[in-house]
């Protein structure tokens, strides 16, 4: 395994050179991989595995849009596409890719088919880490492994089709057969990962929940909204406030950060901008630090899991989410965003 070193910290990383696709195919040659769930991750992982020469079947409840999508994608009912339970019975490796709430609802059905020597695979540490709330406790005689692609299932598939990969984290929770590591890494390569970073279930879920509630999604909207509202309250127009808060960030600056880091983005801005940014960033860090502490505690105590499970197990959870997203869309800031997007130079 390759090592990544950051001062005294060392990380294990698996590369495609040391674990090539040929080796993955060899490890998985006698397995039937049952991808359970055809939502967002399901299609990306199942199609990549199939194109990589792995024996895959899909399990999905029928009478749903996801079933129709599986058929459109070329999975054949009764041959490679089955009801969840039938696929769970046929598979030797069960990739549990239902939504986190769906995993709880279907657990008793899936558990019945976890016979000795099979493997249970997750793309999120949620179900296992919060077992006291999810009830997901696998039998001791199966492998329990994780590969979590760092991005949407849609990107996983698009990048694979383009001949590239997405990085993933991987973890072994239970090694009943002595083959858990090889099975896990082989699946990681098979689903189209570039590099595979080792973690454990708890760390994966804690960092993931913190990240999406924090700087990836929650905190970024909070930061944008605070600056937008301030500029509006000081008499700036909606388009001026939006441009200086969001549009310039996403269109011009974030791509530079992605390419070569924050210092590189700063270095490509005016010296006036650099002076100000260097003077102010620590003040913002210190201001939000207590909120991040509160967030991490809420993740670690299981409070975030409880809130998520309670909200997402309701019948109308999708309509409720859509209602809240609509509120965001209808806020002045994102209405200004829609207007500004129409006026991008490529639309001139
Ligand atoms: N979204 C991502 O790109 C991403 C990235 C990394 C990791 N992950 C992880 O991958 C896993 C799957 O996530 P996802 O985003 O692909 O989920 P999703 O799009 O919400 O997929 C939902 C799947 O679960 C099924 N399902 C939901 N409730 C069910 C129930 N009560 N009974 C039977 N089936 C049910 C859905 O079937 P219907 O369509 O019939 O409802 C669908 O097949 C999760 O553990 C997630 O944390 C996701």
């Amino acid at each position: 395994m390759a090592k990544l070193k950051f001062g005294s910290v060392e990380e294990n990383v698996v590369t495609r050179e040391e674990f090539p696709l040929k080796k993955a195919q060899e490890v998985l040659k006698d397995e039937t991989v049952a991808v359970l769930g055809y939502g967002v991750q399901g299609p990306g992982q199942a199609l990549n595995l199939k194109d990589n020469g792995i024996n895959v079947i899909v399990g999905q409840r029928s009478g749903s849009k996801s079933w129709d999508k599986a058929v459109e994608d070329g999975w054949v009912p009764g041959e490679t596409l089955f009801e969840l339970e039938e696929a769970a019975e046929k598979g030797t490796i069960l990739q549990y890719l239902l939504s986190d709430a769906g995993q709880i609802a279907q657990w008793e059905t899936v558990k019945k088919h976890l016979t000795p020597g099979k493997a249970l695979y997750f793309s999120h540490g949620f179900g296992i880490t919060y077992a006291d709330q999810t009830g997901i406790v696998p039998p001791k005689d199966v492998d329990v492994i994780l590969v979590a692609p760092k991005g949407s299932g849609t990107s996983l598939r698009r990048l694979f089709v383009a001949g590239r990969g997405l990085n993933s984290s991987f973890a072994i929770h239970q090694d009943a057969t002595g083959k858990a590591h090889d099975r896990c890494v082989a699946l990681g390569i098979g689903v189209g990962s570039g590099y595979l970073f080792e973690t454990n279930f708890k760390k994966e879920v804690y960092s993931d929940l913190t990240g999406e509630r924090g700087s990836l999604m929650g905190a970024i909207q909070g930061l944008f909204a605070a600056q937008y509202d301030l500029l509006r309250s000081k008499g700036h127009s909606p388009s001026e406030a939006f441009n200086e808060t969001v549009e310039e960030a996403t269109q011009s600056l974030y791509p530079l950060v992605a390419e070569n880091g924050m210092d590189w983005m700063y270095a490509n801005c005016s010296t006036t901008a650099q002076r100000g940014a260097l003077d102010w960033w620590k003040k913002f860090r210190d201001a939000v630090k207590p909120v991040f502490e509160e967030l991490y505690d809420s993740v670690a105590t299981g409070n975030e899991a409880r809130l998520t499970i309670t909200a997402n197990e309701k019948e109308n959870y999708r309509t409720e989410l859509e209602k809240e997203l609509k509120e965001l869309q209808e806020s002045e800031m994102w209405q200004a965003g829609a207007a500004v997007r129409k006026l991008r130079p490529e639309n001139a």
Side-chain angles (χ1 to χ4, degrees):
M1 196 138 25
K3 299 274 181 204
L4 255 189
K5 279 195 179 158
F6 303 94
S8 60
V9 180
E10 231 180 46
E11 290 189 39
N12 290 331
V13 184
V14 178
T15 66
R16 285 201 238 188
E17 284 87 64
E18 62 180 290
F19 209 106
L21 180 58
K22 264 205 159 342
K23 185 167 170 187
Q25 289 166 336
E26 177 61 28
V27 169
L28 299 174
K29 70 177 188 321
D30 297 325
E31 308 275 11
T32 299
V33 180
V35 172
L36 306 180
Y38 210 74
V40 182
Q41 274 299 311
Q45 297 198 21
L47 292 169
N48 290 0
L49 281 166
K50 185 172 94 166
D51 289 350
N52 272 332
I54 310 301
N55 179 26
V56 194
I57 58 172
V58 169
Q60 166 62 45
R61 62 179 165 190
S62 58
S64 123
K65 280 190 194 152
S66 308
W67 174 278
D68 299 341
K69 179 173 164 42
V71 173
E72 273 163 37
D73 285 352
W75 304 98
V76 182
E79 283 179 30
T80 51
L81 173 60
F82 303 92
E83 291 289 342
L84 282 171
E85 179 155 12
E86 201 176 346
E89 189 191 344
K90 289 185 187 307
T92 56
I93 295 177
L94 308 189
Q95 293 201 175
Y96 209 17
L97 299 182
L98 302 184
S99 65
D100 296 316
Q103 289 178 20
I104 300 172
Q106 295 297 329
W107 177 241
E108 288 309 319
T109 306
V110 169
K111 192 174 148 189
K112 273 194 284 186
H113 300 289
L114 282 170
T115 46
K118 284 196 182 187
L120 179 63
Y121 163 115
F122 292 88
S123 282
H124 200 11
F126 195 98
I128 294 286
T129 305
Y130 299 114
D132 56 333
Q133 299 187 55
T134 64
I136 298 180
V137 182
K140 284 281 164 240
D141 45 16
V142 301
D143 294 341
V144 182
I145 56 186
L146 171 146
V147 173
K150 297 289 117 188
S152 164
T154 311
S155 323
L156 184 71
R157 180 63 183 163
R158 282 192 189 154
L159 287 164
F160 178 84
V161 170
R164 295 167 60 200
L166 197 65
N167 288 340
S168 300
S169 51
F170 76 97
I172 321 293
H173 177 68
Q174 202 166 279
D175 182 5
T177 64
K179 299 187 293 190
H181 177 271
D182 277 8
R183 274 171 146 180
C184 183
V185 173
L187 289 164
I189 298 293
V191 301
S193 310
Y195 293 92
L196 286 154
F197 295 82
E198 192 169 17
T199 184
N200 62 41
F201 276 56
K202 189 164 140 184
K203 286 197 169 131
E204 191 281 332
V205 73
Y206 282 18
S207 57
D208 194 71
L209 294 185
T210 301
E212 62 205 11
R213 281 152 181 72
S215 63
L216 301 177
M217 294 170 69
I220 198 74
Q221 163 63 16
L223 188 81
F224 284 165
Q227 177 169 305
Y228 181 89
D229 291 350
L230 172 92
L231 289 173
R232 290 286 292 127
S233 75
K234 300 292 183 190
H236 297 266
S237 70
S239 56
E240 183 165 71
F242 188 83
N243 278 328
E244 291 300 329
T245 303
V246 181
E247 188 73 355
E248 190 172 331
T250 59
Q251 298 305 295
S252 158
L253 303 180
Y254 291 175
L256 294 175
V257 178
E259 191 181 307
N260 231 348
M262 192 63 82
D263 59 309
W264 165 253
M265 184 270 268
Y266 280 14
N268 281 280
C269 293
S270 71
T271 49
T272 308
Q274 288 182 56
R275 183 66 270 135
L278 288 165
D279 287 344
W280 277 87
W281 77 264
K282 291 180 185 157
K283 202 176 174 97
F284 281 108
R285 177 196 59 193
D286 296 346
V288 295
K289 189 80 189 300
V291 186
F292 276 104
E293 296 281 357
E294 184 188 335
L295 164 58
Y296 196 87
D297 278 352
S298 185
V299 169
T301 56
N303 188 44
E304 291 302 306
R306 188 179 53 75
L307 293 171
T308 304
I309 293 169
T310 315
N312 291 351
E313 69 192 4
K314 289 193 183 129
E315 274 287 299
N316 62 345
Y317 79 102
R318 278 226 185 266
T319 9
E320 283 302 310
L321 283 175
E322 278 160 17
K323 218 160 72 190
E324 287 181 64
L325 292 181
K326 193 152 187 286
E327 272 169 35
L328 209 54
Q329 185 197 61
E330 285 172 354
S331 68
E332 190 197 274
M333 178 166 76
W334 290 108
Q335 286 298 306
V340 166
R341 283 197 295 279
K342 283 200 189 118
L343 299 181
R344 282 186 185 152
E346 63 265 26
N347 298 328

